[in-house]
Amino acid sequence: MIRIARFHRWLWPIAALCLWPVATFGGDRVVAYVPNWIDLSSFAETIDYAKITHLNVAFENPLNDRGELSFNPKDEALLARARANNVPVLVSLGGGSASEDPKARARFAMLLADGKRASFVAGLADYVLRHGFAGLDVDLEGPAIDAHYGTFIADLAAALKLKGKLLTAALSQGYGGDKVPDAAFAHFDFVNVMAYDATGPWNPKKPGQHSSLEFARETVSYWLARGLPMQKVVLGVPFYGWGFGAAFRKDDYAYSAIVVAHPGAEKVDQAGETIWYNGLPTIRAKAAYVKEHGLGGVMIWSLDQDAKGTAALLPAIHDVLHGR
């Protein structure tokens, strides 16, 4: 997850709030991240809610050293539409860009430390309740995962459970995952395993697939060996690709744009000169792997990058998980 949303100050009236029911899902979880820097009012109308079990709004983050969290007014449209379709929405905290930004990272470090943590945790729990989210997703990555992470997660879980809210995380094996204490796993309702970005524009001399099926298996095996319960492992799949060679650029390529620019690209995993991504066969194979091994489901980064029609990836995931 590579971007951070702009900060906004906005509050819902207390009278408009309602609690999300905390539903229990098994291996058919489909957790879709939706960035709130897009036009969520329009996008929320296009989502096939019947094929999704959870939506994560990315991202909201501390505005100041008191830990007051931003709220993007665009989130409201998604919350309203999802609620009407009985799909819980979580707010995601952090993101790759926030974790890499020195100022944002220093703020997180201060807020997670002993002197500020209790106040920050209480504020986060109140924020989730006040805005009608179903829970909180912690997407702290790399250098943002420090020695206080485990205690922060334990305290946050206790505060959210009292309010009947979910706590999840997005974790990467290679980017900070080794600093996450095993004890934290018990506090998460499930973990979105980021099994992508094995390579990318930060490593231009290593072209190739950034999210192969083999890489997904290796990543899942790592977390299982650490003690993360199988039913809590939600396998992350990319709806984007990275370019190398003539196609090199620092930004990703949305899957939707790839299949438009390269007819038939949905049938393979590379296009042009050269963009690497996950086409339909690999996405289906990953969903089948999740189902066959009893994992907790599939996570998508990010839903707005999916294609339309027969090239769409979300229906393929849904069909495999439901035996179609």
Side-chain angles (χ1 to χ4, degrees):
M1 292 147 200
I2 55 177
R3 299 188 181 101
I4 185 170
R6 292 184 303 164
F7 295 147
H8 296 264
R9 293 179 183 271
W10 201 86
L11 297 176
W12 274 6
I14 298 297
L17 301 179
C18 66
L19 291 176
W20 286 91
V22 177
T24 301
F25 298 88
D28 61 347
R29 288 191 194 95
V30 178
V31 182
Y33 282 85
V34 178
N36 59 6
W37 54 82
I38 67 172
D39 182 1
L40 275 185
S41 297
S42 298
F43 184 70
E45 299 294 325
T46 70
I47 296 173
D48 188 348
Y49 294 93
K51 293 182 173 62
I52 294 165
T53 62
H54 301 76
L55 285 165
N56 287 358
V57 173
F59 297 98
E60 302 292 353
N61 282 300
L63 289 164
N64 50 45
D65 291 349
R66 296 187 301 277
E68 295 171 337
L69 222 60
S70 58
F71 183 79
N72 190 327
K74 295 178 181 179
D75 298 352
E76 181 182 2
L78 185 67
L79 280 160
R81 288 293 297 171
R83 184 178 291 114
N85 286 275
N86 297 313
V87 174
V89 180
L90 289 79
V91 59
S92 191
L93 178 76
S97 293
S99 299
E100 293 160 8
D101 177 74
K103 184 177 180 180
R105 189 168 66 244
R107 179 170 287 163
F108 271 115
M110 178 195 63
L111 292 169
L112 268 59
D114 294 343
K116 294 276 190 176
R117 186 173 56 251
S119 175
F120 185 44
V121 165
L124 290 174
D126 287 343
Y127 176 98
V128 168
L129 184 63
R130 186 165 70 250
H131 290 294
F133 287 106
L136 183 72
D137 175 67
V138 178
D139 184 15
L140 295 179
E141 305 178 23
I145 301 175
D146 63 15
H148 298 291
Y149 181 92
T151 307
F152 169 64
I153 293 301
D155 292 351
L156 184 58
L160 290 172
K161 300 306 180 193
L162 286 174
K163 299 180 184 297
K165 300 296 183 178
L166 297 169
L167 176 61
T168 68
L171 295 177
S172 166
Q173 174 185 349
Y175 194 49
D178 60 330
K179 295 188 291 184
V180 174
D182 295 352
F185 302 155
H187 300 299
F188 296 124
D189 289 283
F190 56 86
V191 172
N192 300 303
V193 172
M194 296 185 282
Y196 39 70
D197 292 350
T199 189
W202 53 89
N203 199 355
K205 294 183 179 180
K206 189 183 177 183
Q209 179 56 267
H210 75 98
S211 186
S212 66
L213 177 59
E214 180 182 8
F215 182 65
R217 288 172 173 158
E218 291 172 354
T219 302
V220 168
S221 294
Y222 169 81
W223 291 107
L224 292 177
R226 289 272 309 272
L228 181 62
M230 191 172 296
Q231 67 273 18
K232 289 189 178 185
V233 176
V234 178
L235 177 64
V237 299
F239 279 21
Y240 65 91
W242 293 116
F244 296 90
F248 179 85
R249 70 184 192 191
K250 292 184 177 180
D251 293 332
D252 62 20
Y253 287 83
Y255 173 75
S256 57
I258 295 170
V259 298
V260 168
H262 303 279
E266 70 275 9
K267 300 175 183 178
V268 291
D269 284 347
Q270 64 182 109
E273 298 180 3
T274 301
I275 306 168
W276 293 85
Y277 57 96
N278 281 185
L280 283 168
T282 296
I283 289 292
R284 290 191 182 109
K286 288 182 177 180
Y289 169 73
V290 166
K291 184 175 182 179
E292 290 165 6
H293 289 80
L295 302 182
V298 175
M299 175 269 279
I300 295 161
W301 180 271
S302 61
L303 188 61
D304 58 303
Q305 296 177 304
D306 200 6
K308 304 295 183 185
T310 57
L313 301 177
L314 176 61
I317 292 170
H318 180 267
D319 288 351
V320 172
L321 293 181
H322 292 272
R324 298 175 184 173

